[in-house]
Amino acid sequence: MKTLNHLAVAISLASLCTFAAHGAESKGSVEVVHYWTSGGEAKSADVLKQLIEKDGFTWQNSAVAGGGGAAAMTVLKTRAVSGNPPSAAQIKGPDIQEWGNLGLLTSIDEVAKANNWNSLLPESIASLMKYDGHYVAVPLNIHRINWLWTNPEVLRKAGVAKAPTTLEELYAAGDKLKAAGFIAIAHGGQPWQDTTVFEGLVLSILGADGFKKAFIDHDEATLTGAKMTDVFSALRRLKSYMDPDGAGQDWNLETAKVINGRAGMQIMGDWAKSEWTAAGKKAGIDYECVPFPGSQGVYSYTIDSLAMFKLSSKNDTPGNNAARDDLAKIALEPQFQYIFNQNKGSIPVVKGLDMSQFDSCAQASAKDFADAEKAGTLAPSMAFNMSTSQAVQGAVFDVISHFMSDKNADPAKAGSQLFASIKAAAQ
Ligand code: GAL
């Protein structure tokens, strides 16, 4: 059954290529700034390109390498300041409002109305896509962040019977993997990756409520309390299991170490699955996904979305506007939602799509999302731009990466540093 699913994706992509190749001359262009450059993610972005080309438009790919998107944001800011914005860029959560405040985004209400977005999207997600009551962005997916990915064969070889579900089991698995000569946790020492692990620990130790108090309310007692000290102590411990060659390493190169059997585990959002899928590996057989140990029941997430820019007078042509509207329309159509998300590792953002074509990790993700929504334990990710401004996120990244690089940093003081940095950045 799973083989059939993969075949279905491959067939759909192949048929799209044929359409693209025979497409008529371009009716207009759409330039998209994004940061999907790993093998699996580039393949996912290609789905959008092919569908755009099938409709006779030109896709201008402005991919900027760098996981988490910091480099892409720098490019985008330079482009915007010099009056030459792209048609669309991957911008998420509260940042959409910041770009809207600058007067740089354009309304896509007509596309939204014609395609019934108000009934396709959950209200909470639709409202994130609007600025001043108008749709200015289209969401593509929901990525779960609090995952642990394992290679069960490596775990078995190291004498670890099952994927860890508690922090104690995670440490025990780390000890066994190291003793057996494996990299226990594949991890690239970049600030956003360090913060992904930190965020998992916050969810595990403080729960969804504590997470919200810390990273939405910026509550002093939570950020400086004893449990935050526990989070930093746990982070110190996890560092001892991380890839010794991981300094500055890209996330996908670390995923490759789990795929090829050099490492046992990786703590990463479910775009990691895009690499497993691109390598032809099967969920539940070649790899396993479990919630980050201790954070079961909590679902931290990010929503990839493309915000639409007002074009420069040179680029503001009917053809280019039609190309942008086509992009927005395609993004929420079932065909795109199915193929893109199966490649990307995420789940559809459109309500009520049948998940039976998806693998076991995506099915678990969809179920956990719905359960967390009911229980009030959805956590908009701080590390992935959903809970706070870029300035506050940057302040957190700095504190976490300093803590990770200074082996003498005191876990009992790190929370106060975090609070002071957040406060300064939030002003
Ligand atoms: C996130 C983004 C994902 C993935 C990841 C790694 O911010 O939402 O789609 O690209 O970064 O770059």
Side-chain angles (χ1 to χ4, degrees):
M1 181 63 190
K2 283 200 182 103
T3 319
L4 277 179
N5 288 344
H6 283 284
L7 203 59
V9 175
I11 288 170
S12 320
L13 284 171
S15 58
L16 293 176
C17 285
T18 319
F19 275 120
H22 298 295
E25 208 160 283
S26 172
K27 299 187 282 188
S29 299
V30 62
E31 186 194 359
V32 183
V33 169
H34 63 89
Y35 42 95
W36 296 324
T37 55
S38 76
E41 292 200 310
K43 213 170 154 190
S44 317
D46 218 45
V47 175
L48 200 46
K49 171 184 189 282
Q50 288 168 21
L51 287 166
I52 298 268
E53 289 178 348
K54 175 174 165 272
D55 286 349
F57 296 104
T58 301
W59 163 271
Q60 269 180 267
N61 195 35
S62 289
V64 183
M73 284 309 112
T74 307
V75 169
L76 186 62
K77 282 173 194 159
T78 311
R79 295 273 311 262
V81 167
S82 62
N84 180 32
S87 324
Q90 196 199 353
I91 302 175
K92 299 187 285 189
D95 293 343
I96 295 174
Q97 303 307 311
E98 297 202 354
W99 285 94
N101 284 337
L102 294 172
L104 294 171
L105 302 183
T106 194
S107 163
I108 44 171
D109 276 345
E110 279 183 25
V111 184
K113 200 163 173 233
N115 295 282
N116 230 350
W117 285 9
N118 283 346
S119 63
L120 294 183
L121 294 172
E123 167 53 28
S124 56
I125 295 179
S127 66
L128 286 174
M129 302 299 131
K130 291 178 189 165
Y131 175 73
D132 203 15
H134 300 285
Y135 277 103
V136 292
V138 61
L140 307 180
N141 61 4
I142 300 172
H143 268 303
R144 185 178 195 175
I145 313 296
N146 58 324
W147 282 119
L148 176 76
W149 304 90
T150 69
N151 181 325
E153 196 190 328
V154 173
L155 258 51
R156 252 193 316 276
K157 283 185 188 156
V160 180
K162 65 174 191 56
T165 57
T166 64
L167 287 179
E168 286 311 317
E169 285 178 13
L170 180 60
Y171 303 146
D175 288 331
K176 286 189 174 167
L177 284 159
K178 269 174 82 171
F182 293 105
I183 299 165
I185 300 178
H187 179 85
Q190 297 174 343
W192 70 271
Q193 294 185 60
D194 292 343
T195 308
T196 303
V197 178
F198 167 77
E199 190 170 280
L201 288 166
V202 171
L203 297 170
S204 179
I205 294 173
L206 281 89
D209 283 346
F211 173 87
K212 288 178 202 160
K213 280 191 193 138
F215 298 115
I216 296 178
D217 306 339
H218 305 154
D219 173 55
E220 180 170 5
T222 309
L223 285 162
T224 62
K227 283 194 170 176
M228 196 55 85
T229 303
D230 293 346
V231 168
F232 280 99
S233 301
L235 187 59
R236 167 71 42 78
R237 175 127 191 218
L238 285 187
K239 185 167 167 35
S240 71
Y241 301 117
M242 288 174 181
D243 182 3
D245 297 324
Q249 195 71 273
D250 289 336
W251 66 270
N252 51 310
L253 301 181
E254 292 296 322
T255 307
K257 294 180 186 176
V258 193
I259 296 176
N260 67 27
R262 288 181 56 206
M265 313 184 276
Q266 185 179 27
I267 297 157
M268 187 50 67
D270 46 21
W271 48 88
K273 205 178 71 180
S274 70
E275 297 303 296
W276 288 93
T277 304
K281 306 290 184 186
K282 307 277 176 285
I285 299 169
D286 304 308
Y287 65 97
E288 280 185 31
C289 55
V290 290
F292 179 82
S295 73
Q296 294 84 343
V298 181
Y299 189 108
S300 66
Y301 66 95
T302 193
I303 293 171
D304 287 328
S305 44
L306 296 176
M308 308 301 176
F309 280 78
K310 286 180 185 155
L311 292 172
S312 65
S313 47
K314 181 171 127 277
N315 290 332
D316 189 5
T317 63
N320 291 346
N321 288 325
R324 179 213 45 231
D325 288 352
D326 193 55
L327 166 79
K329 176 177 75 68
I330 286 170
L332 290 185
E333 285 177 344
Q335 184 185 26
F336 173 77
Q337 287 286 313
Y338 281 124
I339 307 175
F340 175 79
N341 284 308
Q342 286 184 65
N343 281 291
K344 185 79 165 71
S346 39
I347 58 171
V349 69
V350 168
K351 286 192 287 189
L353 289 186
D354 172 21
M355 289 298 294
S356 62
Q357 292 187 22
F358 283 77
D359 64 32
S360 53
C361 293
Q363 288 179 0
S365 180
K367 181 182 180 304
D368 289 356
F369 182 89
D371 290 350
E373 196 173 28
K374 272 192 216 119
T377 53
L378 284 177
S381 169
M382 172 271 296
F384 298 95
N385 313 77
M386 296 302 289
S387 77
T388 190
S389 68
Q390 273 200 8
V392 170
Q393 185 201 49
V396 177
F397 281 9
D398 285 349
V399 173
I400 304 303
S401 62
H402 281 130
F403 181 83
M404 289 292 272
S405 57
D406 177 2
K407 63 178 184 347
N408 298 316
D410 182 354
K413 293 199 180 123
S416 308
Q417 285 156 2
L418 193 56
F419 175 66
S421 299
I422 289 179
K423 214 173 144 199
Q427 269 164 7

